[in-house]
Amino acid sequence: MVGGCGEDISQPDPSQEPLQLSSVSHFDPRTAGVIHGRVIWHGDIPVISPLLVRANPIGGDALAKRQVQPNPNAPILHSPERGVGNAVVFLRGVDAAAARPWSLTPVRVEQRGLQFHIVQEYLDSPYGFVRRGDAIEMVSRDSYFHALHVTGASFFTLMFPDPDRPLTRPLKENGVVELTSAAGYYWMRAYLFVDDHPYYARTDKEGRFALEQVPPGRYEVVCWMPNWQEARHERDPESGLITRLFFRPPVTLVQKVELGKHESKEVRFNPSMRDFQR
């Protein structure tokens, strides 16, 4: 299945140019500080079942056999201290003109092994951070047919009938972009965060993070985690097999911080099962 009924399936316009952002910066490294901390799971550890994918005789080679796929939104918990790995922590309330210059490398979205791989800064994770107006590169590494569907702050669908033939697309709106499959691989999921400032971080396996070179000011520190619990799904009317899976809204935990000159502030987040059941 490629796309849903009535969906706008668009291709990149070669004439589209990346958004031209102001190069004027008022960042002063002499006054900047750091916000760091940890994300530690509180309470009962969730038991998250994998996704059982039934064979689809008309779904091509990728779906020819019954298979089990991991829940893409399951949190990574490190024992014994219960550190939450691969959570996203970022700042709200940043004056982009006062922020440190963007230094993160461009994002490449690889569809490989019937999973999304966001490759950035020599890391391979479900998340990527994109400066507003910059282009992302998307490519299939599989022999299977892929169709990448983008929703959230941007909306489009791109076809990848052949491997190793990349496409690019600029992301022009701030916000969270969700990546899913429009080819029936409903378990595939990844997320991009588009913004004008670079104060985004992934936690390490022990739940630690650091946002460095932050100018003095008042901010909201946000811990963002996707929800692994199903909200609903769609089925193919002919085969009755699941073709799209929708999860409950992500969890965002927020703390306010006032950072002075040269200060180092510590922030801790303690997500729990209750946060994901609201």
Side-chain angles (χ1 to χ4, degrees):
M1 178 178 180
V2 181
C5 180
E7 283 188 314
D8 175 21
I9 300 180
S10 57
Q11 298 291 337
D13 182 350
S15 66
Q16 286 181 328
E17 295 294 335
L19 219 58
Q20 297 299 314
L21 303 179
S22 173
S23 60
V24 177
S25 174
H26 304 290
F27 174 66
D28 185 355
R30 297 170 298 178
T31 62
V34 59
I35 298 173
H36 64 97
R38 294 187 72 183
V39 181
I40 304 294
W41 189 268
H42 176 74
D44 296 335
I45 300 294
V47 177
I48 302 173
S49 300
L51 304 175
L52 176 61
V53 182
R54 293 170 56 194
N56 184 349
I58 61 173
D61 292 343
L63 299 173
K65 295 181 180 180
R66 182 177 180 269
Q67 58 190 289
V68 175
Q69 294 286 349
N71 188 306
N73 289 346
I76 300 174
L77 304 182
H78 179 70
S79 298
E81 297 183 6
R82 300 188 174 199
V84 180
N86 243 1
V88 174
V89 180
F90 62 92
L91 296 184
R92 286 179 183 160
V94 176
D95 178 1
R100 65 176 172 84
W102 190 278
S103 60
L104 299 175
T105 60
V107 161
R108 184 174 71 253
V109 179
E110 294 191 2
Q111 297 156 102
R112 172 166 33 95
L114 297 178
Q115 300 289 345
F116 285 121
H117 298 263
I118 309 299
V119 180
Q120 184 179 34
E121 299 288 313
Y122 307 105
L123 296 175
D124 182 335
S125 82
Y127 312 119
F129 310 132
V130 182
R131 179 171 55 179
R132 181 172 64 95
D134 282 359
I136 61 171
E137 180 183 283
M138 298 154 283
V139 66
S140 168
R141 303 298 189 195
D142 290 335
S143 59
Y144 310 121
F145 172 79
H146 276 285
L148 191 157
H149 185 56
V150 169
T151 56
S154 294
F155 184 88
F156 57 87
T157 300
L158 300 177
M159 308 301 173
F160 296 85
D162 301 307
D164 302 319
R165 298 187 65 180
L167 299 174
T168 61
R169 185 93 173 214
L171 301 182
K172 298 184 178 181
E173 301 294 334
N174 286 346
V176 182
V177 172
E178 183 178 31
L179 309 181
T180 61
S181 169
Y185 318 140
Y186 61 86
W187 59 89
M188 292 178 63
R189 200 67 95 253
Y191 304 89
L192 301 176
F193 296 78
V194 184
D195 214 324
D196 297 319
H197 69 78
Y199 299 113
Y200 283 77
R202 307 169 189 83
T203 57
D204 65 16
K205 67 178 183 179
E206 296 180 347
R208 301 183 189 278
F209 68 89
L211 301 167
E212 300 179 338
Q213 294 185 303
V214 180
R218 296 180 179 178
Y219 305 102
E220 288 184 341
V221 187
V222 181
C223 175
W224 186 100
M225 297 175 63
N227 203 322
W228 69 85
Q229 298 182 90
E230 179 182 338
R232 62 185 179 90
H233 58 257
E234 295 178 355
R235 293 182 182 272
D236 178 80
E238 301 299 329
S239 66
L241 298 176
I242 296 175
T243 55
R244 286 192 183 277
L245 180 63
F246 300 86
F247 293 98
R248 292 185 184 180
V251 168
T252 55
L253 307 176
V254 181
Q255 292 195 37
K256 294 183 178 180
V257 167
E258 183 170 357
L259 187 70
K261 295 181 179 180
H262 312 297
E263 269 197 309
S264 176
K265 286 288 182 74
E266 183 176 6
V267 176
R268 295 218 171 194
F269 294 100
N270 296 110
S272 68
M273 285 286 293
R274 180 179 299 179
D275 298 311
F276 291 85
Q277 293 171 341
R278 293 173 180 171

